[in-house]
Amino acid sequence: MSEVESVESFAERSRLWLADSMPRVDPDAYIHGLGSDEAELAFVDRQRQLQRVLFDGGFAGICFPAEYGGQGLSAAHQNVFNIECVGYQMPALINVPTFVPCGAVLLEFGTEEQKQKHIPSMLKGEKLWMQFLSEPSGGSDVAGALTTAVRDGEEWLLNGSKVWTTGAWWSDMGLCLVRTNWDVPKHRGLSVFIIDIADPNIDVQRIEMLNGSREFCQEFLTDVRVPDSDRVGEVDDGWTVGRRWMFHERNAMGGGSPLVSGPGVGHGGAGSGVDPSLVITEAMGRTDDPVALDLIGESLMLRRAATELTKRVGEGMASGAVSDTSAAITRLMNGVVMARNWTIHAELAGSAAVAWESEGPLDGVGVNYLMRQSNSIAGGTVEMARNNISERVLGMPRERTLDKDVAFRDVPKGPPASR
Amino acid sequence: MEVTLSDDQEFFRETTLRFLTDKSEPDSLRSLQADAHGFDREYWRQGAELGWTSLLISEDHGGGSISGSGVVDMSIVADAFGRHAASGPLISTNVVAAAIDKTGSEAQVADNLDGFISGERIGAWCLSEPAPNDGLGAVTSSALTATADDGNYRLSGVKGPVEAGAQADVLLIVGNTDGAPTQFLVDPTTDGVTIRPLESVDMSRRFAAIEFDDVVVGSDAVLGEVGGARGAIERQLHIACMMQVAEMVGAAERVFDMTVEWAFDRYSFGRPLASYQELKHRFADMKMWLEASHALGTALASELGADSPSTAETASVAKAYCGHYLGELMQDCVQMHGGIGLTSEHDLHLYFRRVAANRATYGTAADHRRRIAAGRLEPGTESEMAA
């Protein structure tokens, strides 16, 4: 085995290669999720191409093992790459959820065959993955999944519905948590499968969000046949996989996963460029207003605090100084910081957050305010993060539940969800 | 939790904490509340032997660091100080020591630094001024005028609150020379200097208002260049903020741990407080504030130690964040305790006081938020904007 390249040398090599190979960020570029379907598909296609360029250049999957097409390097290498690639177009869309959590889960629980088959095609940008996790019956109580898989020889038959899958309509593969046993307590009757979204028995429906985004989907699975070789982890032991799956998701949401590559990773949500609070203040002509200065200062302060917190928790988890459950702290921080910052932006914009010229620096501020809670909900709510911090980091008593030690079919359930 | 200390630093931290556990326990802190000076000189000399006053002084001047970064080492001492609400003029003496080390004349170095290092001598930095020119306004628009007069300077104006102002052996004064800042080193016994001790929230830290009534000092009292102290004042402010933040984090972590323990031990309606989701969620928020504060303190010490150009913004970010959120954390910890948390008998207030003292000296959270904004809107003008 050859010696591992030093971080400094890798940074230098990344810098030269990026300048040579990757396109610079285009300020007028299309914003993911907010255009026509054609524009969205072109954007996704572009993401695949960018990922392929990274792969061919030897910069895809920096922390993925070399035997599956990655670079087999350390988190420190990934960190310097994240700094070097600021200002270049990067395929952010593929990193989450394809690499994390889906790729991360396969690395941890997949069979050798599954890893050989799927990880390289992820890293090449050929296959985009989605998480089939939440269900219409409940978002945070993921282990309460109702979608069911029934064994049929060497195959399984899947029936049910999944929701909040970002971009399932243009994705290829999915990781799907289902119930395989209704006669045991809820956490002990789950299993995880790899599914092919192109399967005609999977009906993908789009959901329109209040800001016009149609990136989220709901899927209806009707007698979907999946070979047993596409099962990840043991039968009925899917919660072991699911817990790590959600850890990886939280870690990616908090910006702490070394399997995620790109600028702004670990920077509290935003990448390079002038902070929106400054842009809005200048557009509103409020740069001499002490109230505006106070709000700008708060906004920049919160972003920086989120960045430094992510760094600290990431280093602590990498060195083993703190347990992986601490990812909930960064997840909470990113949720509350984004909510506050989008409020600050609206505050700075005043009535221009209600009515504005269609093209200009104030475009979108008001709608972002309406969407403020999105980052406090997606990827596990901040309330779940607070439960996790108090219970798993501080060791406080767990919330009492009525679904322990009772067969899942006997657990009280509400009326079937309409969606 | 400490994530990134070296073995040497860990040893230094343990030595400091052990000394303070012995010397700065709650009973002795309580006895200091009535003490006019707030600390014992012999205790201070012993602390100085441990390195408390030499870390920001270069080796050429007899100082030195543990790890190669005196600033990071100093943040370790300050964290331990907060954890024990320790007495002694830690911030004021070290800020003055660092200032003299950086730009002092040979005579100024000789007159002061050995005394600081041995713990014999105490310094006080006179930056803030009473309202309406308070807070950080004094950085560039000091109302304390220093007028050149035949080779001497005449100082007139009021400074305060000045930490350790009535205890110091030397005062470092920020004055206004024709609209530009100059720093002077002045003996507090000089004619025309009147020092009035102030009441304060801290158990052991003392503050004073100092009046300068046409005080005449020679040109040898000028530290650095006449009218050219802006950069030095900024750096001193960054050091003060770094130490304040580290102290606040230490104090807050102590109280947070104490309060978590209380939540497990205290039962109401047959359940521990720690089992109520409403309270658990508030503990989760507090944990987030605490870890983010700690992370910002680490970033600030590291940038300041490396003389990074982003230090000014980071200092204000750290001070603004910790000043606001650690204050809230302390108040929430009082709330979790209920009435007992507001009594003298309980130890909580010993540490709460230190956070309360630090959050609003050397700039409030609001002062620092405005500095952050000003630095981005017009780089280099942080100090003017704060006026």
Side-chain angles (χ1 to χ4, degrees):
Chain A
M1 196 117 169
S2 61
E3 213 166 277
V4 176
E5 181 176 8
S6 76
V7 172
E8 294 72 29
S9 150
F10 179 73
E12 176 67 18
R13 191 160 64 81
S14 304
R15 191 176 315 139
L16 295 172
W17 181 84
L18 283 161
D20 227 35
S21 318
M22 294 304 278
R24 304 292 302 188
V25 167
D26 172 5
D28 302 321
Y30 168 75
I31 297 170
H32 160 57
L34 291 178
S36 67
D37 285 2
E38 293 69 34
E40 181 77 1
L41 286 174
F43 175 78
V44 173
D45 208 44
R46 180 81 184 132
Q47 296 277 301
R48 292 179 190 265
Q49 290 164 12
L50 290 169
Q51 184 61 34
R52 182 69 202 207
V53 177
L54 286 170
F55 184 85
D56 290 340
F59 290 92
I62 290 167
C63 289
F64 277 80
E67 60 262 46
Y68 309 123
Q71 310 305 323
L73 295 169
S74 71
H77 292 84
Q78 182 63 63
N79 278 341
V80 295
F81 187 81
N82 293 344
I83 294 165
E84 294 299 339
C85 70
V86 171
Y88 293 100
Q89 292 182 32
M90 285 287 147
L93 194 60
I94 296 184
N95 281 268
V96 185
T98 299
F99 298 164
V100 186
C102 296
V105 166
L106 285 186
L107 282 182
E108 220 176 307
F109 296 99
T111 62
E112 185 57 29
E113 190 195 340
Q114 288 168 347
K115 288 187 269 194
Q116 292 287 359
K117 182 175 172 191
H118 296 297
I119 305 278
S121 61
M122 287 179 170
L123 295 177
K124 287 176 191 164
E126 290 169 0
K127 297 284 183 187
L128 304 190
W129 286 58
M130 282 299 145
Q131 316 183 65
F132 285 61
L133 199 56
S134 298
E135 297 198 3
S137 56
S140 291
D141 184 11
V142 171
L146 301 177
T147 298
T148 302
V150 176
R151 191 154 197 155
D152 182 19
E154 278 310 291
E155 291 184 328
W156 294 81
L157 269 181
L158 274 58
N159 281 284
S161 179
K162 292 286 179 180
V163 73
W164 304 125
T165 43
T166 321
W169 65 283
W170 43 251
S171 296
D172 308 297
M173 307 295 294
L175 211 51
C176 187
L177 181 77
V178 298
R179 184 154 306 282
T180 39
N181 192 340
W182 286 68
D183 299 316
V184 291
K186 74 170 182 181
H187 292 103
R188 284 187 254 147
L190 297 163
S191 302
V192 174
F193 291 93
I194 296 167
I195 56 172
D196 184 344
I197 301 176
D199 188 312
N201 288 350
I202 301 178
D203 176 22
V204 179
Q205 299 282 335
R206 311 272 295 275
I207 299 170
E208 184 174 306
M209 303 300 284
L210 62 81
N211 64 350
S213 159
R214 298 179 73 223
E215 60 174 336
F216 289 113
C217 299
Q218 177 172 7
E219 302 77 28
F220 299 88
L221 289 72
T222 312
D223 290 340
V224 176
R225 285 193 173 271
V226 177
D228 190 52
S229 57
D230 282 345
R231 174 169 43 81
V232 181
E234 298 303 313
V235 174
D236 291 352
D237 192 31
W239 192 239
T240 303
V241 181
R243 270 209 312 258
R244 291 295 296 169
W245 177 345
M246 281 184 287
F247 157 72
H248 288 298
E249 185 184 27
R250 268 198 304 275
N251 206 17
M253 290 290 294
S257 174
L259 297 175
V260 176
S261 182
V265 172
H267 288 253
S272 57
V274 181
D275 190 84
S277 64
L278 297 163
V279 176
I280 297 164
T281 303
E282 273 165 6
M284 296 300 293
R286 291 182 66 184
T287 53
D288 290 330
D289 175 356
V291 174
L293 294 185
D294 198 338
L295 290 169
I296 293 169
E298 182 187 354
S299 181
L300 293 166
M301 171 193 86
L302 290 173
R303 262 183 71 173
R304 182 69 191 279
T307 302
E308 295 303 329
L309 175 70
T310 301
K311 225 187 273 175
R312 172 177 169 82
V313 172
E315 282 168 12
M317 291 194 301
S319 72
V322 300
S323 76
D324 283 354
T325 53
S326 296
I329 304 175
T330 43
R331 190 274 165 274
L332 174 59
M333 185 78 171
N334 280 296
V336 298
V337 165
M338 186 192 272
R340 177 62 188 148
N341 277 348
W342 283 5
T343 304
I344 288 176
H345 298 164
E347 198 112 325
L348 288 168
S351 64
V354 178
W356 60 91
E357 305 282 348
S358 66
E359 289 194 11
L362 300 167
D363 196 9
V365 174
V367 177
N368 277 349
Y369 173 71
L370 299 179
M371 288 296 286
R372 186 187 93 160
Q373 294 305 115
S374 59
N375 207 37
S376 296
I377 297 169
T381 63
V382 290
E383 285 74 22
M384 290 303 288
R386 288 187 175 102
N387 275 358
N388 280 320
I389 296 166
S390 54
E391 294 173 3
R392 294 170 188 274
V393 179
L394 301 175
M396 293 179 165
R398 305 286 302 268
E399 284 305 303
R400 280 181 69 180
T401 57
L402 300 176
D403 55 6
K404 287 262 154 49
D405 307 319
V406 46
F408 185 71
R409 69 168 75 255
D410 298 328
V411 170
K413 297 173 188 71
S418 57
R419 174 175 276 288
Chain B
M1 66 177 187
E2 288 301 331
V3 180
T4 50
L5 292 187
S6 70
D7 290 349
D8 283 348
Q9 288 172 325
E10 193 56 59
F11 179 76
F12 178 58
R13 176 179 141 85
E14 277 166 25
T15 312
T16 310
L17 284 172
R18 209 175 311 126
F19 179 82
L20 289 175
T21 303
D22 184 35
K23 301 281 182 190
S24 184
E25 29 75 50
D27 280 350
S28 55
L29 281 177
R30 285 191 170 85
S31 69
L32 286 173
Q33 194 173 18
D35 185 297
H37 295 298
F39 74 104
D40 175 61
R41 286 267 178 174
E42 181 50 31
Y43 149 89
W44 187 250
R45 272 188 288 273
Q46 289 171 8
E49 270 174 42
L50 293 176
W52 292 356
T53 53
S54 50
L55 296 168
L56 301 184
I57 296 174
S58 58
E59 282 180 23
D60 292 348
H61 293 155
S65 69
I66 308 295
S67 65
S69 171
V71 170
V72 174
D73 297 340
M74 182 52 75
S75 74
I76 294 171
V77 178
D79 178 281
F81 255 62
R83 225 162 269 276
H84 287 276
S87 62
L90 188 74
I91 296 176
S92 62
T93 295
N94 277 298
V95 165
V96 176
I100 296 174
D101 182 68
K102 194 88 171 170
T103 52
S105 67
E106 253 177 63
Q108 287 167 336
V109 166
D111 287 349
N112 291 289
L113 294 189
D114 284 350
F116 286 153
I117 292 168
S118 67
E120 300 297 328
R121 212 168 157 75
I122 304 295
W125 187 28
C126 308
L127 171 72
S128 300
E129 299 183 5
N133 198 36
D134 57 350
L136 292 169
V139 172
T140 55
S141 59
S142 170
L144 186 136
T145 56
T147 318
D149 179 17
D150 199 18
N152 290 329
Y153 286 88
R154 292 177 174 276
L155 310 183
S156 285
V158 187
K159 287 288 179 177
V162 175
E163 185 200 336
Q167 289 72 44
D169 305 292
V170 58
L171 306 175
L172 174 60
I173 299 153
V174 175
N176 186 338
T177 40
D178 293 329
T182 305
Q183 296 198 101
F184 299 89
L185 282 168
V186 175
D187 182 333
T189 60
T190 309
D191 279 350
V193 177
T194 312
I195 301 175
R196 281 181 289 110
L198 300 170
E199 303 291 332
S200 132
V201 293
D202 202 288
M203 291 294 277
S204 62
R205 205 154 267 175
R206 298 290 171 263
F207 296 87
I210 308 183
E211 214 170 305
F212 298 84
D213 182 14
D214 205 24
V215 174
V216 180
V217 296
S219 60
D220 57 351
V222 173
L223 180 71
E225 278 174 44
V226 174
R230 181 169 304 173
I233 294 168
E234 276 293 318
R235 181 167 180 273
Q236 289 157 224
L237 182 65
H238 304 160
I239 293 171
C241 288
M242 178 276 292
M243 295 179 71
Q244 286 189 312
V245 163
E247 276 199 344
M248 287 194 280
V249 168
E253 192 157 84
R254 173 105 182 225
V255 168
F256 179 73
D257 290 348
M258 188 188 277
T259 310
V260 169
E261 208 181 307
W262 163 260
F264 279 96
D265 293 345
R266 176 78 169 182
Y267 276 65
S268 58
F269 304 100
R271 305 162 51 174
L273 295 185
S275 70
Y276 287 91
Q277 191 173 43
E278 208 281 330
L279 306 188
K280 284 161 65 182
H281 282 196
R282 283 164 63 183
F283 275 104
D285 284 338
M286 286 195 269
K287 177 71 174 167
M288 172 184 74
W289 299 336
L290 184 61
E291 293 301 329
S293 296
H294 210 144
L296 287 169
T298 304
L300 172 55
S302 132
E303 287 186 15
L304 180 59
D307 246 333
S308 157
S310 53
T311 308
E313 181 170 299
T314 305
S316 286
V317 166
K319 186 67 202 294
Y321 190 88
C322 299
H324 178 75
Y325 287 101
L326 295 183
E328 290 303 301
L329 182 149
M330 286 291 183
Q331 300 285 12
D332 246 12
C333 285
V334 170
Q335 181 68 23
M336 295 284 180
H337 275 84
I340 189 80
L342 288 168
T343 62
S344 301
E345 174 200 348
H346 199 280
D347 289 346
L348 195 155
H349 71 98
L350 304 175
Y351 314 99
F352 185 13
R353 288 167 183 278
R354 184 56 52 89
V355 169
N358 282 358
R359 64 188 284 277
T361 43
Y362 299 118
T364 61
D367 289 332
H368 284 284
R369 286 196 296 267
R370 284 197 297 273
R371 279 170 62 89
I372 297 165
R376 288 287 185 101
L377 288 167
E378 288 170 75
T381 60
E382 297 88 334
S383 38
E384 271 113 299
M385 293 300 295

